[in-house]
PDB file of all heavy atoms in Angstrom:
ATOM      1  N   SER A  30    -112.169  14.607  39.919  1.00  0.00           N
ATOM      2  CA  SER A  30    -112.898  15.166  41.006  1.00  0.00           C
ATOM      3  C   SER A  30    -113.631  14.117  41.849  1.00  0.00           C
ATOM      4  O   SER A  30    -113.599  14.129  43.080  1.00  0.00           O
ATOM      5  CB  SER A  30    -113.913  16.212  40.505  1.00  0.00           C
ATOM      6  OG  SER A  30    -113.295  17.223  39.782  1.00  0.00           O
ATOM      7  N   LEU A  31    -114.256  13.154  41.142  1.00  0.00           N
ATOM      8  CA  LEU A  31    -114.920  12.054  41.826  1.00  0.00           C
ATOM      9  C   LEU A  31    -113.882  11.239  42.611  1.00  0.00           C
ATOM     10  O   LEU A  31    -114.196  10.764  43.745  1.00  0.00           O
ATOM     11  CB  LEU A  31    -115.653  11.169  40.812  1.00  0.00           C
ATOM     12  CG  LEU A  31    -116.889  11.752  40.172  1.00  0.00           C
ATOM     13  CD1 LEU A  31    -117.429  10.811  39.074  1.00  0.00           C
ATOM     14  CD2 LEU A  31    -117.980  12.035  41.179  1.00  0.00           C
ATOM     15  N   THR A  32    -112.731  11.049  42.041  1.00  0.00           N
ATOM     16  CA  THR A  32    -111.682  10.277  42.746  1.00  0.00           C
ATOM     17  C   THR A  32    -111.270  10.992  44.056  1.00  0.00           C
ATOM     18  O   THR A  32    -111.142  10.335  45.101  1.00  0.00           O
ATOM     19  CB  THR A  32    -110.447  10.138  41.829  1.00  0.00           C
ATOM     20  OG1 THR A  32    -110.811   9.471  40.656  1.00  0.00           O
ATOM     21  CG2 THR A  32    -109.341   9.348  42.550  1.00  0.00           C
ATOM     22  N   ILE A  33    -111.128  12.294  43.991  1.00  0.00           N
ATOM     23  CA  ILE A  33    -110.809  13.065  45.208  1.00  0.00           C
ATOM     24  C   ILE A  33    -111.879  12.931  46.236  1.00  0.00           C
ATOM     25  O   ILE A  33    -111.627  12.778  47.440  1.00  0.00           O
ATOM     26  CB  ILE A  33    -110.521  14.504  44.825  1.00  0.00           C
ATOM     27  CG1 ILE A  33    -109.257  14.645  43.961  1.00  0.00           C
ATOM     28  CG2 ILE A  33    -110.381  15.402  46.088  1.00  0.00           C
ATOM     29  CD1 ILE A  33    -109.021  16.023  43.376  1.00  0.00           C
ATOM     30  N   VAL A  34    -113.156  13.043  45.755  1.00  0.00           N
ATOM     31  CA  VAL A  34    -114.271  12.928  46.676  1.00  0.00           C
ATOM     32  C   VAL A  34    -114.252  11.593  47.421  1.00  0.00           C
ATOM     33  O   VAL A  34    -114.426  11.514  48.646  1.00  0.00           O
ATOM     34  CB  VAL A  34    -115.590  13.142  45.936  1.00  0.00           C
ATOM     35  CG1 VAL A  34    -116.810  12.759  46.813  1.00  0.00           C
ATOM     36  CG2 VAL A  34    -115.736  14.573  45.456  1.00  0.00           C
ATOM     37  N   PHE A  35    -114.052  10.484  46.670  1.00  0.00           N
ATOM     38  CA  PHE A  35    -114.027   9.163  47.313  1.00  0.00           C
ATOM     39  C   PHE A  35    -112.798   8.989  48.178  1.00  0.00           C
ATOM     40  O   PHE A  35    -112.897   8.279  49.182  1.00  0.00           O
ATOM     41  CB  PHE A  35    -114.107   8.090  46.227  1.00  0.00           C
ATOM     42  CG  PHE A  35    -115.500   7.835  45.679  1.00  0.00           C
ATOM     43  CD1 PHE A  35    -115.817   8.099  44.344  1.00  0.00           C
ATOM     44  CD2 PHE A  35    -116.501   7.369  46.539  1.00  0.00           C
ATOM     45  CE1 PHE A  35    -117.093   7.886  43.887  1.00  0.00           C
ATOM     46  CE2 PHE A  35    -117.792   7.139  46.052  1.00  0.00           C
ATOM     47  CZ  PHE A  35    -118.074   7.397  44.715  1.00  0.00           C
ATOM     48  N   LEU A  36    -111.697   9.581  47.815  1.00  0.00           N
ATOM     49  CA  LEU A  36    -110.519   9.511  48.652  1.00  0.00           C
ATOM     50  C   LEU A  36    -110.816  10.135  50.027  1.00  0.00           C
ATOM     51  O   LEU A  36    -110.483   9.567  51.083  1.00  0.00           O
ATOM     52  CB  LEU A  36    -109.336  10.255  48.002  1.00  0.00           C
ATOM     53  CG  LEU A  36    -108.449   9.442  47.042  1.00  0.00           C
ATOM     54  CD1 LEU A  36    -107.484  10.363  46.331  1.00  0.00           C
ATOM     55  CD2 LEU A  36    -107.691   8.371  47.832  1.00  0.00           C
ATOM     56  N   ILE A  37    -111.440  11.328  49.969  1.00  0.00           N
ATOM     57  CA  ILE A  37    -111.799  11.993  51.210  1.00  0.00           C
ATOM     58  C   ILE A  37    -112.769  11.162  52.014  1.00  0.00           C
ATOM     59  O   ILE A  37    -112.672  11.036  53.253  1.00  0.00           O
ATOM     60  CB  ILE A  37    -112.362  13.394  50.926  1.00  0.00           C
ATOM     61  CG1 ILE A  37    -111.253  14.255  50.303  1.00  0.00           C
ATOM     62  CG2 ILE A  37    -112.918  14.062  52.182  1.00  0.00           C
ATOM     63  CD1 ILE A  37    -111.774  15.617  49.763  1.00  0.00           C
ATOM     64  N   ALA A  38    -113.789  10.592  51.293  1.00  0.00           N
ATOM     65  CA  ALA A  38    -114.786   9.801  51.967  1.00  0.00           C
ATOM     66  C   ALA A  38    -114.190   8.578  52.699  1.00  0.00           C
ATOM     67  O   ALA A  38    -114.516   8.245  53.826  1.00  0.00           O
ATOM     68  CB  ALA A  38    -115.840   9.314  50.973  1.00  0.00           C
ATOM     69  N   VAL A  39    -113.219   7.904  52.028  1.00  0.00           N
ATOM     70  CA  VAL A  39    -112.597   6.710  52.639  1.00  0.00           C
ATOM     71  C   VAL A  39    -111.702   7.138  53.781  1.00  0.00           C
ATOM     72  O   VAL A  39    -111.677   6.452  54.842  1.00  0.00           O
ATOM     73  CB  VAL A  39    -111.828   5.969  51.538  1.00  0.00           C
ATOM     74  CG1 VAL A  39    -110.951   4.864  52.208  1.00  0.00           C
ATOM     75  CG2 VAL A  39    -112.772   5.321  50.520  1.00  0.00           C
ATOM     76  N   VAL A  40    -110.984   8.220  53.620  1.00  0.00           N
ATOM     77  CA  VAL A  40    -110.089   8.663  54.723  1.00  0.00           C
ATOM     78  C   VAL A  40    -110.914   8.990  55.983  1.00  0.00           C
ATOM     79  O   VAL A  40    -110.543   8.659  57.097  1.00  0.00           O
ATOM     80  CB  VAL A  40    -109.254   9.873  54.256  1.00  0.00           C
ATOM     81  CG1 VAL A  40    -108.569  10.515  55.464  1.00  0.00           C
ATOM     82  CG2 VAL A  40    -108.239   9.444  53.217  1.00  0.00           C
ATOM     83  N   THR A  41    -112.085   9.596  55.749  1.00  0.00           N
ATOM     84  CA  THR A  41    -112.917   9.966  56.889  1.00  0.00           C
ATOM     85  C   THR A  41    -113.586   8.769  57.524  1.00  0.00           C
ATOM     86  O   THR A  41    -114.106   8.854  58.635  1.00  0.00           O
ATOM     87  CB  THR A  41    -113.982  11.021  56.490  1.00  0.00           C
ATOM     88  OG1 THR A  41    -114.755  10.460  55.420  1.00  0.00           O
ATOM     89  CG2 THR A  41    -113.325  12.321  56.064  1.00  0.00           C
ATOM     90  N   LEU A  42    -113.644   7.638  56.821  1.00  0.00           N
ATOM     91  CA  LEU A  42    -114.214   6.414  57.379  1.00  0.00           C
ATOM     92  C   LEU A  42    -113.344   5.865  58.518  1.00  0.00           C
ATOM     93  O   LEU A  42    -113.847   5.242  59.432  1.00  0.00           O
ATOM     94  CB  LEU A  42    -114.396   5.351  56.288  1.00  0.00           C
ATOM     95  CG  LEU A  42    -115.674   5.401  55.447  1.00  0.00           C
ATOM     96  CD1 LEU A  42    -115.629   4.266  54.419  1.00  0.00           C
ATOM     97  CD2 LEU A  42    -116.908   5.260  56.328  1.00  0.00           C
ATOM     98  N   GLN A  43    -112.054   6.065  58.379  1.00  0.00           N
ATOM     99  CA  GLN A  43    -111.114   5.434  59.370  1.00  0.00           C
ATOM    100  C   GLN A  43    -111.372   5.938  60.800  1.00  0.00           C
ATOM    101  O   GLN A  43    -111.445   5.106  61.729  1.00  0.00           O
ATOM    102  CB  GLN A  43    -109.670   5.713  58.964  1.00  0.00           C
ATOM    103  CG  GLN A  43    -108.612   5.037  59.822  1.00  0.00           C
ATOM    104  CD  GLN A  43    -108.600   3.530  59.681  1.00  0.00           C
ATOM    105  OE1 GLN A  43    -109.549   2.930  59.284  1.00  0.00           O
ATOM    106  NE2 GLN A  43    -107.484   2.921  60.060  1.00  0.00           N
ATOM    107  N   PRO A  44    -111.554   7.268  61.020  1.00  0.00           N
ATOM    108  CA  PRO A  44    -111.869   7.703  62.393  1.00  0.00           C
ATOM    109  C   PRO A  44    -113.141   7.052  62.914  1.00  0.00           C
ATOM    110  O   PRO A  44    -113.204   6.672  64.099  1.00  0.00           O
ATOM    111  CB  PRO A  44    -112.017   9.210  62.250  1.00  0.00           C
ATOM    112  CG  PRO A  44    -111.208   9.548  61.051  1.00  0.00           C
ATOM    113  CD  PRO A  44    -111.349   8.393  60.127  1.00  0.00           C
ATOM    114  N   PHE A  45    -114.169   6.924  62.083  1.00  0.00           N
ATOM    115  CA  PHE A  45    -115.411   6.276  62.533  1.00  0.00           C
ATOM    116  C   PHE A  45    -115.158   4.788  62.855  1.00  0.00           C
ATOM    117  O   PHE A  45    -115.731   4.249  63.805  1.00  0.00           O
ATOM    118  CB  PHE A  45    -116.463   6.370  61.462  1.00  0.00           C
ATOM    119  CG  PHE A  45    -117.041   7.790  61.300  1.00  0.00           C
ATOM    120  CD1 PHE A  45    -116.627   8.600  60.215  1.00  0.00           C
ATOM    121  CD2 PHE A  45    -117.905   8.300  62.235  1.00  0.00           C
ATOM    122  CE1 PHE A  45    -117.139   9.848  60.076  1.00  0.00           C
ATOM    123  CE2 PHE A  45    -118.425   9.594  62.093  1.00  0.00           C
ATOM    124  CZ  PHE A  45    -118.015  10.380  61.009  1.00  0.00           C
ATOM    125  N   ALA A  46    -114.312   4.166  62.030  1.00  0.00           N
ATOM    126  CA  ALA A  46    -114.005   2.766  62.263  1.00  0.00           C
ATOM    127  C   ALA A  46    -113.253   2.577  63.575  1.00  0.00           C
ATOM    128  O   ALA A  46    -113.490   1.657  64.330  1.00  0.00           O
ATOM    129  CB  ALA A  46    -113.153   2.219  61.063  1.00  0.00           C
ATOM    130  N   VAL A  47    -112.293   3.505  63.827  1.00  0.00           N
ATOM    131  CA  VAL A  47    -111.550   3.430  65.082  1.00  0.00           C
ATOM    132  C   VAL A  47    -112.478   3.634  66.254  1.00  0.00           C
ATOM    133  O   VAL A  47    -112.431   2.923  67.293  1.00  0.00           O
ATOM    134  CB  VAL A  47    -110.406   4.477  65.105  1.00  0.00           C
ATOM    135  CG1 VAL A  47    -109.788   4.569  66.472  1.00  0.00           C
ATOM    136  CG2 VAL A  47    -109.387   4.149  64.025  1.00  0.00           C
ATOM    137  N   PHE A  48    -113.361   4.600  66.113  1.00  0.00           N
ATOM    138  CA  PHE A  48    -114.346   4.883  67.170  1.00  0.00           C
ATOM    139  C   PHE A  48    -115.262   3.705  67.433  1.00  0.00           C
ATOM    140  O   PHE A  48    -115.633   3.383  68.571  1.00  0.00           O
ATOM    141  CB  PHE A  48    -115.154   6.130  66.795  1.00  0.00           C
ATOM    142  CG  PHE A  48    -116.235   6.454  67.802  1.00  0.00           C
ATOM    143  CD1 PHE A  48    -115.882   7.129  68.977  1.00  0.00           C
ATOM    144  CD2 PHE A  48    -117.551   6.125  67.606  1.00  0.00           C
ATOM    145  CE1 PHE A  48    -116.884   7.439  69.933  1.00  0.00           C
ATOM    146  CE2 PHE A  48    -118.535   6.422  68.534  1.00  0.00           C
ATOM    147  CZ  PHE A  48    -118.182   7.096  69.672  1.00  0.00           C
ATOM    148  N   ALA A  49    -115.569   2.966  66.345  1.00  0.00           N
ATOM    149  CA  ALA A  49    -116.450   1.794  66.463  1.00  0.00           C
ATOM    150  C   ALA A  49    -115.662   0.564  66.916  1.00  0.00           C
ATOM    151  O   ALA A  49    -116.263  -0.483  67.094  1.00  0.00           O
ATOM    152  CB  ALA A  49    -117.131   1.520  65.154  1.00  0.00           C
ATOM    153  N   GLY A  50    -114.344   0.670  67.096  1.00  0.00           N
ATOM    154  CA  GLY A  50    -113.514  -0.452  67.487  1.00  0.00           C
ATOM    155  C   GLY A  50    -113.180  -1.381  66.395  1.00  0.00           C
ATOM    156  O   GLY A  50    -112.863  -2.553  66.656  1.00  0.00           O
ATOM    157  N   ALA A  51    -113.244  -0.924  65.143  1.00  0.00           N
ATOM    158  CA  ALA A  51    -112.882  -1.795  64.009  1.00  0.00           C
ATOM    159  C   ALA A  51    -111.994  -1.044  63.011  1.00  0.00           C
ATOM    160  O   ALA A  51    -112.405  -0.784  61.872  1.00  0.00           O
ATOM    161  CB  ALA A  51    -114.170  -2.271  63.324  1.00  0.00           C
ATOM    162  N   PRO A  52    -110.791  -0.637  63.443  1.00  0.00           N
ATOM    163  CA  PRO A  52    -109.885   0.088  62.548  1.00  0.00           C
ATOM    164  C   PRO A  52    -109.510  -0.786  61.350  1.00  0.00           C
ATOM    165  O   PRO A  52    -109.374  -2.011  61.461  1.00  0.00           O
ATOM    166  CB  PRO A  52    -108.678   0.366  63.438  1.00  0.00           C
ATOM    167  CG  PRO A  52    -108.733  -0.659  64.479  1.00  0.00           C
ATOM    168  CD  PRO A  52    -110.153  -0.913  64.761  1.00  0.00           C
ATOM    169  N   GLN A  53    -109.405  -0.138  60.201  1.00  0.00           N
ATOM    170  CA  GLN A  53    -109.145  -0.855  58.972  1.00  0.00           C
ATOM    171  C   GLN A  53    -107.674  -0.714  58.578  1.00  0.00           C
ATOM    172  O   GLN A  53    -107.025   0.329  58.796  1.00  0.00           O
ATOM    173  CB  GLN A  53    -110.004  -0.301  57.820  1.00  0.00           C
ATOM    174  CG  GLN A  53    -111.501  -0.335  58.142  1.00  0.00           C
ATOM    175  CD  GLN A  53    -112.010  -1.760  58.316  1.00  0.00           C
ATOM    176  OE1 GLN A  53    -111.617  -2.666  57.590  1.00  0.00           O
ATOM    177  NE2 GLN A  53    -112.880  -1.976  59.299  1.00  0.00           N
ATOM    178  N   SER A  54    -107.107  -1.752  57.930  1.00  0.00           N
ATOM    179  CA  SER A  54    -105.715  -1.720  57.498  1.00  0.00           C
ATOM    180  C   SER A  54    -105.574  -0.911  56.241  1.00  0.00           C
ATOM    181  O   SER A  54    -106.572  -0.558  55.576  1.00  0.00           O
ATOM    182  CB  SER A  54    -105.216  -3.148  57.245  1.00  0.00           C
ATOM    183  OG  SER A  54    -105.880  -3.694  56.103  1.00  0.00           O
ATOM    184  N   ILE A  55    -104.301  -0.612  55.886  1.00  0.00           N
ATOM    185  CA  ILE A  55    -104.019   0.143  54.637  1.00  0.00           C
ATOM    186  C   ILE A  55    -104.568  -0.622  53.425  1.00  0.00           C
ATOM    187  O   ILE A  55    -105.131  -0.040  52.506  1.00  0.00           O
ATOM    188  CB  ILE A  55    -102.485   0.356  54.469  1.00  0.00           C
ATOM    189  CG1 ILE A  55    -101.952   1.288  55.570  1.00  0.00           C
ATOM    190  CG2 ILE A  55    -102.176   0.861  53.089  1.00  0.00           C
ATOM    191  CD1 ILE A  55    -102.496   2.724  55.452  1.00  0.00           C
ATOM    192  N   VAL A  56    -104.429  -1.941  53.443  1.00  0.00           N
ATOM    193  CA  VAL A  56    -104.894  -2.775  52.303  1.00  0.00           C
ATOM    194  C   VAL A  56    -106.412  -2.568  52.125  1.00  0.00           C
ATOM    195  O   VAL A  56    -106.912  -2.406  51.006  1.00  0.00           O
ATOM    196  CB  VAL A  56    -104.565  -4.249  52.531  1.00  0.00           C
ATOM    197  CG1 VAL A  56    -105.208  -5.103  51.446  1.00  0.00           C
ATOM    198  CG2 VAL A  56    -103.052  -4.447  52.606  1.00  0.00           C
ATOM    199  N   VAL A  57    -107.151  -2.584  53.249  1.00  0.00           N
ATOM    200  CA  VAL A  57    -108.623  -2.477  53.130  1.00  0.00           C
ATOM    201  C   VAL A  57    -109.001  -1.094  52.625  1.00  0.00           C
ATOM    202  O   VAL A  57    -109.870  -0.934  51.762  1.00  0.00           O
ATOM    203  CB  VAL A  57    -109.266  -2.745  54.515  1.00  0.00           C
ATOM    204  CG1 VAL A  57    -110.761  -2.392  54.494  1.00  0.00           C
ATOM    205  CG2 VAL A  57    -109.067  -4.197  54.909  1.00  0.00           C
ATOM    206  N   LEU A  58    -108.347  -0.055  53.163  1.00  0.00           N
ATOM    207  CA  LEU A  58    -108.661   1.306  52.763  1.00  0.00           C
ATOM    208  C   LEU A  58    -108.332   1.546  51.296  1.00  0.00           C
ATOM    209  O   LEU A  58    -109.123   2.159  50.559  1.00  0.00           O
ATOM    210  CB  LEU A  58    -107.902   2.310  53.633  1.00  0.00           C
ATOM    211  CG  LEU A  58    -108.341   2.356  55.120  1.00  0.00           C
ATOM    212  CD1 LEU A  58    -107.426   3.328  55.877  1.00  0.00           C
ATOM    213  CD2 LEU A  58    -109.796   2.761  55.243  1.00  0.00           C
ATOM    214  N   VAL A  59    -107.191   1.035  50.850  1.00  0.00           N
ATOM    215  CA  VAL A  59    -106.831   1.192  49.438  1.00  0.00           C
ATOM    216  C   VAL A  59    -107.818   0.425  48.561  1.00  0.00           C
ATOM    217  O   VAL A  59    -108.256   0.945  47.511  1.00  0.00           O
ATOM    218  CB  VAL A  59    -105.381   0.674  49.205  1.00  0.00           C
ATOM    219  CG1 VAL A  59    -105.107   0.563  47.674  1.00  0.00           C
ATOM    220  CG2 VAL A  59    -104.363   1.608  49.830  1.00  0.00           C
ATOM    221  N   ALA A  60    -108.161  -0.775  48.962  1.00  0.00           N
ATOM    222  CA  ALA A  60    -109.116  -1.570  48.209  1.00  0.00           C
ATOM    223  C   ALA A  60    -110.444  -0.868  48.098  1.00  0.00           C
ATOM    224  O   ALA A  60    -111.104  -0.862  47.020  1.00  0.00           O
ATOM    225  CB  ALA A  60    -109.288  -2.951  48.830  1.00  0.00           C
ATOM    226  N   LEU A  61    -110.864  -0.266  49.194  1.00  0.00           N
ATOM    227  CA  LEU A  61    -112.147   0.479  49.207  1.00  0.00           C
ATOM    228  C   LEU A  61    -112.090   1.666  48.251  1.00  0.00           C
ATOM    229  O   LEU A  61    -113.040   1.884  47.508  1.00  0.00           O
ATOM    230  CB  LEU A  61    -112.480   0.930  50.631  1.00  0.00           C
ATOM    231  CG  LEU A  61    -113.869   1.532  50.831  1.00  0.00           C
ATOM    232  CD1 LEU A  61    -114.935   0.527  50.443  1.00  0.00           C
ATOM    233  CD2 LEU A  61    -114.037   1.949  52.308  1.00  0.00           C
ATOM    234  N   VAL A  62    -111.002   2.396  48.266  1.00  0.00           N
ATOM    235  CA  VAL A  62    -110.850   3.523  47.338  1.00  0.00           C
ATOM    236  C   VAL A  62    -110.942   3.087  45.881  1.00  0.00           C
ATOM    237  O   VAL A  62    -111.696   3.632  45.075  1.00  0.00           O
ATOM    238  CB  VAL A  62    -109.508   4.260  47.577  1.00  0.00           C
ATOM    239  CG1 VAL A  62    -109.240   5.264  46.455  1.00  0.00           C
ATOM    240  CG2 VAL A  62    -109.510   4.986  48.909  1.00  0.00           C
ATOM    241  N   VAL A  63    -110.171   2.003  45.561  1.00  0.00           N
ATOM    242  CA  VAL A  63    -110.151   1.541  44.161  1.00  0.00           C
ATOM    243  C   VAL A  63    -111.521   1.019  43.743  1.00  0.00           C
ATOM    244  O   VAL A  63    -111.972   1.208  42.591  1.00  0.00           O
ATOM    245  CB  VAL A  63    -109.089   0.436  44.021  1.00  0.00           C
ATOM    246  CG1 VAL A  63    -109.189  -0.213  42.647  1.00  0.00           C
ATOM    247  CG2 VAL A  63    -107.698   1.006  44.235  1.00  0.00           C
ATOM    248  N   ALA A  64    -112.239   0.368  44.651  1.00  0.00           N
ATOM    249  CA  ALA A  64    -113.556  -0.154  44.329  1.00  0.00           C
ATOM    250  C   ALA A  64    -114.586   0.940  44.073  1.00  0.00           C
ATOM    251  O   ALA A  64    -115.556   0.765  43.333  1.00  0.00           O
ATOM    252  CB  ALA A  64    -114.012  -1.086  45.418  1.00  0.00           C
ATOM    253  N   LEU A  65    -114.393   2.091  44.703  1.00  0.00           N
ATOM    254  CA  LEU A  65    -115.372   3.158  44.642  1.00  0.00           C
ATOM    255  C   LEU A  65    -115.087   4.229  43.606  1.00  0.00           C
ATOM    256  O   LEU A  65    -116.041   4.820  43.088  1.00  0.00           O
ATOM    257  CB  LEU A  65    -115.513   3.803  46.016  1.00  0.00           C
ATOM    258  CG  LEU A  65    -115.938   2.922  47.175  1.00  0.00           C
ATOM    259  CD1 LEU A  65    -116.124   3.689  48.438  1.00  0.00           C
ATOM    260  CD2 LEU A  65    -117.244   2.192  46.821  1.00  0.00           C
ATOM    261  N   ILE A  66    -113.816   4.460  43.246  1.00  0.00           N
ATOM    262  CA  ILE A  66    -113.533   5.488  42.245  1.00  0.00           C
ATOM    263  C   ILE A  66    -113.903   4.933  40.878  1.00  0.00           C
ATOM    264  O   ILE A  66    -113.977   3.717  40.663  1.00  0.00           O
ATOM    265  CB  ILE A  66    -112.051   5.943  42.308  1.00  0.00           C
ATOM    266  CG1 ILE A  66    -111.145   4.791  41.939  1.00  0.00           C
ATOM    267  CG2 ILE A  66    -111.714   6.549  43.648  1.00  0.00           C
ATOM    268  CD1 ILE A  66    -109.657   5.192  41.899  1.00  0.00           C
TER     269      ILE A  66
END
C-alpha cells in the first residue's frame, strides 16, 4: 500500500515539474520511487 501511495505521489510530481519547466526523465522518476518506497 505504501508503495502504491509513493508511486502515485511520484507520478503526480511530473505534471508539477513540467509546469515549473523542469520535467524529469524516466531514470529520475524511477530512482525517486525506489528511494521513497
